[in-house]
Amino acid sequence: MSATLFNEFRTRLAVKNADNISTSYKQITKCLNGHYWDSDSDILHCRQVGSYGRHTAIDGVSDLDMLFELPWSVYERFNAYESNGQSSLLGEIKKKLKDRYPTTDITADGQVVVIKYAKYRVELVPVFTNANGTYIYPNTNSGGSWQSCDPISEIRAVNKLNDEKNKCLKRLCKMTRAWKNEHGVSMSGYLIDTLCYNFLNSTNDHDKATYSTYKTLVKDFFSYLVSLSTTQESWKAPGSGETVQKSGNFHPKAKRALLRCTEALDLTDEKKAAKKWKSV
C-alpha cells in the first residue's frame, strides 16, 4: 500500500504546465539571441537554473530562474561606464524584451529582469562565462558591482547524488516542497534542496530506497531536520558552496511531521496509515 501511495504522490507533484514554461524560456532566448548573438536559436545561451533547473520543482512553481549568457564584449561595454553600468545592462535587456513583447509586464531590479506571465514569472539573470565555467552577473545595488555564481556545479552535484541514491534525492526534495506548501513552513526551495542533499549524503541507509521504503526515508529525513541545531542560520549549497540562509524556524513543524510519520509507521490498518501519511 505505501509503495502505491508514494508513487501516486510523486506523480501528482509533476509540473503540469512544463510545455508552457518551455515556450516562455524559448521566446525569451530567441529574442535575446537575435540581439546579442545574431542568432535565431531559441535554446542556445539559455540556462535553466534554480529548482526548475535542478528538477526539484513541483506543480504550481511560480518563480523560475533563467541565466542568459552574453558575449564578453557586452561586459566590456558596460564595465566601462563611469557609474552603475550594471543597471544600464539590465535596462537594455528589459527594453529589448519589451520591444518584442510590448504587452508583457517586464521589470528590472537588483540582479534580474523579471518577465511576468499569468501563472508564473521568469527571473532572468544576464551572465558572462568565465574560463572555469562559473559566471559573472550584474548587481545594481549600492552603485553597481559584478558578482560571481556557480549554479551549474549545484546542478551537477544534485544530479550525481541523485544517481547514487537510486533517484530518491530529487523525489525527496519534491515531497518536502509539498510539505512546506501544505503546512506553511518557513523554508526556501534552495534550503530544502540543500538539506535533502546533506541528509542523503550523510547516510548510506537509503542508497537503494524504493517507493516501498519511502515511509522510512521520509521519517528519517524529518528526524534529521529535528536534529539540526536551532541556532544554525546558514548552510553551504552542494557543488557551489554558496551560502544558503535560513528564513525562519522550521523545527516545530518538522517535529510535528516526525510525530505523524512515527504514528503512521506504527499503524497496522492500511487505510488509517494512508490517512496519517496524507496528513504529513
Side-chain angles (χ1 to χ4, degrees):
M1 176 63 182
S2 63
T4 302
L5 187 69
F6 279 100
N7 189 6
E8 181 182 351
F9 180 34
R10 194 272 308 170
T11 301
R12 290 187 177 187
L13 293 178
V15 177
K16 296 178 178 60
N17 61 337
D19 289 343
N20 289 337
I21 291 173
S22 178
T23 297
S24 297
Y25 273 116
K26 288 181 177 180
Q27 288 174 341
I28 296 167
T29 301
K30 186 171 184 176
C31 174
L32 296 181
N33 268 328
H35 179 70
Y36 290 105
W37 294 97
D38 191 25
S39 166
D40 63 356
S41 171
D42 60 5
I43 56 174
L44 292 177
H45 309 118
C46 169
R47 287 283 197 173
Q48 296 178 0
V49 293
S51 63
Y52 200 73
R54 292 189 296 269
H55 298 159
T56 57
I58 63 175
D59 190 46
V61 59
S62 57
D63 292 328
L64 300 160
D65 300 308
M66 169 185 174
L67 304 185
F68 185 80
E69 300 166 344
L70 294 168
W72 267 102
S73 59
V74 177
Y75 169 80
E76 292 167 354
R77 173 159 60 94
F78 286 99
N79 191 46
Y81 277 45
E82 290 186 2
S83 65
N84 216 331
Q86 295 80 8
S87 180
S88 297
L89 171 57
L90 291 188
E92 179 176 282
I93 292 174
K94 173 188 171 182
K95 184 178 185 304
K96 297 303 175 185
L97 291 170
K98 196 68 177 176
D99 288 346
R100 178 63 181 85
Y101 304 105
T103 61
T104 302
D105 186 358
I106 304 174
T107 58
D109 183 50
Q111 302 88 28
V112 298
V113 175
V114 181
I115 304 96
K116 297 179 182 177
Y117 297 91
K119 294 185 177 180
Y120 53 86
R121 50 188 252 163
V122 176
E123 296 190 356
L124 164 67
V125 181
V127 296
F128 305 94
T129 310
N130 292 311
N132 63 0
T134 61
Y135 293 111
I136 293 174
Y137 67 92
N139 179 6
T140 68
N141 298 317
S142 302
S145 63
W146 301 105
Q147 306 290 328
S148 62
C149 64
D150 191 12
I152 306 307
S153 289
E154 294 173 4
I155 292 173
R156 289 178 182 144
V158 168
N159 287 344
K160 182 176 184 294
L161 191 65
N162 189 60
D163 289 341
E164 293 172 357
K165 302 295 180 176
N166 202 28
K167 311 298 182 183
C168 71
L169 170 57
K170 294 182 183 181
R171 292 171 183 170
L172 180 61
C173 291
K174 292 178 180 182
M175 290 188 289
T176 305
R177 273 178 173 75
W179 167 71
K180 171 221 170 166
N181 292 345
E182 180 67 21
H183 297 285
V185 185
S186 183
M187 294 177 77
S188 68
Y190 201 12
L191 180 56
I192 286 173
D193 290 357
T194 298
L195 294 182
C196 287
Y197 180 96
N198 289 351
F199 162 64
L200 286 174
N201 197 41
S202 69
T203 178
N204 295 321
D205 291 349
H206 305 287
D207 287 2
K208 299 185 183 300
T210 63
Y211 286 119
S212 62
T213 62
Y214 273 20
K215 55 189 178 182
T216 305
L217 166 69
V218 171
K219 187 266 293 180
D220 288 352
F221 174 64
F222 283 120
S223 180
Y224 170 80
L225 289 186
V226 170
S227 74
L228 296 174
S229 171
T230 57
T231 61
Q232 186 168 352
E233 295 295 326
S234 66
W235 290 261
K236 296 297 183 182
S240 69
E242 288 284 336
T243 300
V244 185
Q245 295 287 350
K246 183 170 71 173
S247 57
N249 185 9
F250 55 79
H251 280 79
K253 290 181 179 179
K255 288 180 180 179
R256 195 173 307 153
L258 175 59
L259 175 61
R260 290 174 177 174
C261 290
T262 304
E263 290 172 345
L265 286 168
D266 288 340
L267 290 169
T268 56
D269 185 297
E270 289 189 352
K271 289 185 177 180
K272 290 182 179 180
K275 185 176 180 180
K276 184 63 70 172
W277 281 118
K278 289 177 180 179
S279 75
V280 177

